[in-house]
Each structure stands twice: as structure tokens, then as C-alpha cells.
Amino acid sequence: MWKKIRNKKFALGLALLAASMAFAPTMTSAADDIAATQSERPAPPDWSGNGQPPAPPTDENGNPLPPPDGHGGGHAQNGRPAPPSGDGSGQPPTPPNGHGQPPQGMEGGVSGRGQDAKSADNLSASCIWDGKEEAVEGKTLLADAANESAVLARNGAKLTLRGATLRKLGDTTSEEDSNFTGQNAVLLANNSTVVLSDTTLSSAADGANAIFATGKQASITVRRVTIRTEGNSSRGLDATYGGTVTGEAVDIATKGAHCAALATDRGEGTVSVTDSRLITEGEGSPCIYSTGAIAATNTSGTAYGSEIAVVEGKNSITLDRADLTGRERNGVMLYQSFSGDADVGTAKFSARDSKLTNESGGAMFYVTNTKAEIDLEATILSTPDGTPLLRAAAGRWGQSGKNGGDVTLTATRQTLRGDVEADALSRVTLNLGNNSAWTGALNADATAKSATLRLAETATWAMTADAYVDTVEDALGDYSNIESNGFSIYYSREKSPTLNGGIYPLPGGGTLAPRG
């Protein structure tokens, strides 16, 4: 699957870590760490002295270097081979069987695969809290063996950890165990409760997620925590199989491929943060990747090698007063991979009083192989001129001929700019709520399987091309809130019987007329 580890084990020793001191705190041996003064914790890592990641590489003229495939993927990550870039379309690569279908024997939706691959009793860690309750302060721990966590709470343990420094070396030997049940994570809670504050966590290994909650009884609360991960498939906050992570004032930065700052995986999970910062550099590493329910409030972030956010399957992302930027592929993607990580259903994305900046050449919102709902309220959308507002189309996932997008975008108190596009397998519905204004074209190429527009009384639409729709519904009834600019809307006689096949004038010289 696209977001899993693409690069297997790599040799990473203390020499490499020393070379990357600008990214992570200096790591010493386990014996040195345990002997260190408990109150001496390294300052949060800093790339350039200003807390921001380095700018993308440039040529001798200062122009950004394109990735090897020319479509936003394929840069090597920290000297490791870059993950495969697929077919050059700028989209994630095809699943291993080449058809976007689940492996044989998996019918889509959530599979138990990986859940029992290694039980909590068989996992290892520098420190293990097994069914007991304890409060610990000022702990410094290094886990440097493969598959070893720094902290493991299991079997109903209740751990309060404050002022700690947790460090992780040593790759995972099983990407499924790391992605699904947290093997090799810096801190892992398996059906246990952890409260973590004023702590720094860092990892320089593949499959070394920072904070991981797995199981319906798993709950992790983090406050004033700094996270830095360097390897591939090493996310910031992650939850699976019904686990929950709640964060406040969390500063997350990841460098590897498939390292979303906030993530859920197999079996769903819940992650929510407030007053936090999310930075990702790697390919396939959006600020947020949801196969569960993820919410971010008053949070900022940038994905330098990926989308702003991705929702897979019957899951959701909710933003409130967030300011997030994505630089590759599209702005926000909603899809279904049929990998088994997400149930089939409606993917949901909502943003309120937020700002979303799409610096890629793709659509602000891209929907494929799933039903989707996008709800926007008083949210600023920034995207390059000429890029679509919304694109629904078949991609590399799902059964050919049945894998289009089916999306409804609802806007309230919202300014929208850009075209709404759909291919012959896709359906789009645009609901312009009160005090919303849209400038753009709707199905201008007449390719959509279905296109519908609804306008509230105080909504407006400024057309930029002819539109081809099944229906157009206007609460005003006279279409006076549509500025045609000389363009026309062509509707379906069958789908719009109340229009009686008539031709109606629009402000600006265009008409509302039947197709054909």
C-alpha cells in the first residue's frame, strides 16, 4: 500500500545519527542515557535555527529542482533510495497486484491481518509497564534494538510520564506489525492509559512511529510534547484498532516517506490535537492521513512532499481554525484503496474558520474510488491560478469502470474559485449555501456522469464557461444570483422536469437551456 514502508531495512548507527544532529538531539548509548542527569533534556531539534525545515533543493540559478519523475515524487530521503513514484502521474503507485483491489482473500474493509501478528506480551521495550499504575518523572531512555520500544504500557497499565527524553534507533523487521500494532514505536500503549507531558521523543529508524495507541482500551494524552522522526513509516501520533490519542501543544516534524504527522491505520482510531504544529518532508507524508477520525484545532502545518490531508474510506478529518499547506499532488485527497486499512463508505472532510493552501499543480480537492462529502465554512482556499477547485475521477484504485468519485461539496459563508471537473465515471454536487460566492466552471467539458448545482438565496455564481448539468436548483427561483458572463447552462430534460424544456435568460447574456 502507498503509505507503507517502501524502503526496507537500512543500516543506521550512531555515526549517522551524529551526522544528523541538526535534526535530532544527540543520542548516546543506553548506559550513558540512563546515567545522565534526569533534568537535562536536549532542546527541541531545529533544522535551520528558525524552526523550519530546509527549502527544497535548487539549481545553480536558484530554481527548485524537479523530482526525478517530474511529478512531485522520487527525491531520495536522507540518503536512502526514494520510494517508487508509480507511473509518473504524480499519484501513489498501484497496489502490488496492479488492480487497486485487496489481496486475494480480502474483500475490502478492515481485515484482522496484522492484529495478532505479535501480541503485546511478546513485544519488547527499554521500560515496560505491565498492568500497573505508576507516575514517573525525568526518565531518559534509548531503545536501540530492532523491534524495541523505549516505553511500552500493556495489559491495562496506567502510566504518567513527565519531563522525559525518549529515543529510538533500530529498524522494524515487520512493516505490518509497526503500522498496525505499533511494534518499534518510541512509545506504545496497548490497551493501556498513558499521560505524557513536557517530553521529547525522537526516532531515527524505519517503522519507528513516535506515539502509538492500539486497542479500544488504549488512550494516550500528550501535552507540551516535541516529536522528531527521521526514518520511513515513522509517524507522529498514530492510533489503530480503536485506540485514542489526544494532544495539546504538540510540535511534530517528520522527515521520511509515509510519515504523516497525524495518522490512523488498520482498525480505525481517533486522534485529536489543539494548538499544535505539523511538519512533514517525505513523499506520501501529508500533515494528516486518516483511516479513522482525526481532528485538528488551532493547528498549523506544512507537508513539503505531499498533500495537505488524505482521507481513506469511511473515515474523517475535521479542521477548526487550522492553517495547513500541501506542496505535492493535490490539496486534499479522498479515496478508497481497498488495501484492507479502511472500511468502504463515505469519506468526510470538513474545515471551519481555517486556511488551506495548495501549492501543487493538482486540484484543491481530489476524489477517486469513493463517495465523499466535503464541508467548508468560512475557510480560505489558496491554490495556483488555473488549478481545479474540485476534481472527481477514476484513478489507479478500484475496479476499472467502477472507480470514479462521487462527491458532494457544501459551502457556507465561503468564497470559492476554480473549476469543478468530473470524468464519465464520476458524480459531483455543489451546494452553495448562504453568503457563499463561487467563480468557476461546472462540468465545462460535459464529461461528468452527473453534475448538480444548488444555490441558497444569498449564494452567487460567476460563470467562466458553459456548464452541463443534470439539474440546477436556485432558492431564489429566478436565477438572478447567477452572473453568466455570456455563458449558458445546459440542463437535462429528464432530470429537470420542472423546467419543462424551456429556455430562460440569465444575467449577463447567457441562458438556461435544455441539452441536445
Side-chain angles (χ1 to χ4, degrees):
M1 164 139 177
W2 163 47
K3 61 188 167 72
K4 309 305 180 193
I5 303 172
R6 306 288 176 78
N7 301 312
K8 300 298 180 181
K9 294 189 62 180
F10 62 92
L12 180 62
L14 294 177
L16 175 59
L17 187 61
S20 61
M21 288 175 60
F23 173 74
T26 301
M27 295 194 185
T28 59
S29 69
D32 290 339
D33 274 330
I34 299 301
T37 303
Q38 301 301 321
S39 61
E40 295 179 356
R41 307 205 321 273
D46 192 344
W47 276 280
S48 60
N50 61 5
Q52 298 297 324
T58 59
D59 59 22
E60 63 273 12
N61 298 317
N63 298 313
L65 287 173
D69 65 2
H71 294 281
H75 286 300
Q77 297 294 335
N78 308 315
R80 308 179 187 96
S85 58
D87 59 5
S89 67
Q91 297 302 322
T94 305
N97 66 353
H99 300 288
Q101 296 298 321
Q104 188 171 4
M106 296 172 63
E107 298 300 323
V110 173
S111 162
R113 185 182 181 197
Q115 170 74 324
D116 298 322
K118 182 172 286 189
S119 72
D121 289 337
N122 294 327
L123 293 172
S124 64
S126 295
C127 277
I128 298 176
W129 280 264
D130 196 339
K132 63 181 180 180
E133 183 172 351
E134 187 173 359
V136 179
E137 186 165 353
K139 195 80 170 177
T140 298
L141 296 170
L142 169 66
D144 57 3
N147 305 328
E148 180 186 46
S149 293
V151 170
L152 170 60
R154 65 190 183 193
N155 297 323
K158 296 181 179 180
L159 171 64
T160 300
L161 190 60
R162 181 177 181 274
T165 299
L166 308 178
R167 303 168 176 176
K168 171 63 193 156
L169 297 175
D171 297 341
T172 184
T173 59
S174 169
E175 58 188 69
E176 284 194 351
D177 286 348
S178 291
N179 291 329
F180 301 160
T181 55
Q183 174 180 285
N184 210 51
V186 183
L187 183 149
L188 171 60
N190 185 302
N191 284 316
S192 296
T193 300
V194 175
V195 177
L196 184 70
S197 63
D198 302 299
T199 290
T200 296
L201 301 92
S202 58
S203 72
D206 280 351
N209 297 293
I211 293 176
F212 200 103
T214 186
K216 292 182 179 180
Q217 303 304 315
S219 175
I220 302 176
T221 302
V222 296
R223 300 185 182 91
R224 299 177 301 279
V225 167
T226 297
I227 291 171
R228 299 292 184 264
T229 75
E230 191 170 352
N232 295 325
S233 204
S234 299
R235 302 161 190 87
L237 305 182
D238 204 343
T240 65
Y241 294 105
T244 299
V245 181
T246 304
E248 178 184 348
V250 186
D251 186 350
I252 302 172
T254 70
K255 295 185 81 172
H258 319 298
C259 295
L262 308 180
T264 53
D265 209 305
R266 187 65 60 92
E268 302 181 1
T270 301
V271 175
S272 61
V273 298
T274 58
D275 304 322
S276 295
R277 175 177 174 265
L278 318 173
I279 299 293
T280 67
E281 285 193 65
E283 183 267 343
S285 301
C287 292
I288 304 173
Y289 192 109
S290 179
T291 62
I294 301 183
T297 301
N298 196 35
T299 291
S300 64
T302 298
Y304 285 83
S306 189
E307 300 93 339
I308 296 167
V310 176
V311 182
E312 181 178 353
K314 183 187 65 63
N315 298 295
S316 67
I317 291 175
T318 303
L319 304 179
D320 187 1
R321 289 170 287 126
D323 185 349
L324 301 178
T325 298
R327 291 191 169 182
E328 297 290 345
R329 296 197 178 111
N330 297 283
V332 175
M333 177 178 175
L334 300 95
Y335 84 122
Q336 171 60 264
S337 73
F338 287 131
S339 68
D341 291 337
D343 271 334
V344 176
T346 301
K348 297 182 179 182
F349 177 89
S350 67
R352 178 180 179 184
D353 296 321
S354 296
K355 181 178 181 182
L356 305 176
T357 302
N358 171 27
E359 296 182 355
S360 76
M364 183 74 236
F365 298 98
Y366 173 56
V367 179
T368 184
N369 197 38
T370 192
K371 291 184 177 180
E373 295 176 0
I374 300 167
D375 291 296
L376 304 173
E377 182 174 358
T379 289
I380 298 170
L381 304 179
S382 177
T383 192
D385 290 340
T387 57
L389 168 66
L390 171 64
R391 182 169 185 262
R396 64 185 69 239
W397 302 276
Q399 182 179 346
S400 179
K402 298 182 179 180
N403 57 343
D406 184 348
V407 55
T408 298
L409 189 155
T410 301
T412 305
R413 297 190 296 123
Q414 188 69 45
T415 299
L416 303 173
R417 182 178 296 273
D419 296 347
V420 174
E421 303 174 350
D423 69 7
L425 299 176
S426 300
R427 303 172 182 270
V428 291
T429 298
L430 184 58
N431 296 324
L432 295 179
N434 282 319
N435 301 310
S436 291
W438 173 43
T439 300
L442 175 57
N443 191 30
D445 294 333
T447 54
K449 185 174 183 179
S450 172
T452 298
L453 175 66
R454 300 186 181 99
L455 295 93
E457 289 185 358
T458 58
T460 62
W461 176 25
M463 298 175 63
T464 59
D466 288 342
Y468 297 85
V469 302
D470 286 355
T471 62
V472 55
E473 302 173 12
D474 189 348
L476 284 179
D478 60 4
Y479 308 105
S480 60
N481 49 357
I482 299 176
E483 175 53 55
S484 72
N485 294 310
F487 299 109
S488 294
I489 304 172
Y490 297 98
Y491 67 87
S492 166
R493 294 174 185 267
E494 180 183 359
K495 301 292 180 61
S496 302
T498 59
L499 294 177
N500 297 314
I503 299 176
Y504 307 90
L506 296 173
T511 60
L512 174 63
R515 299 176 67 167

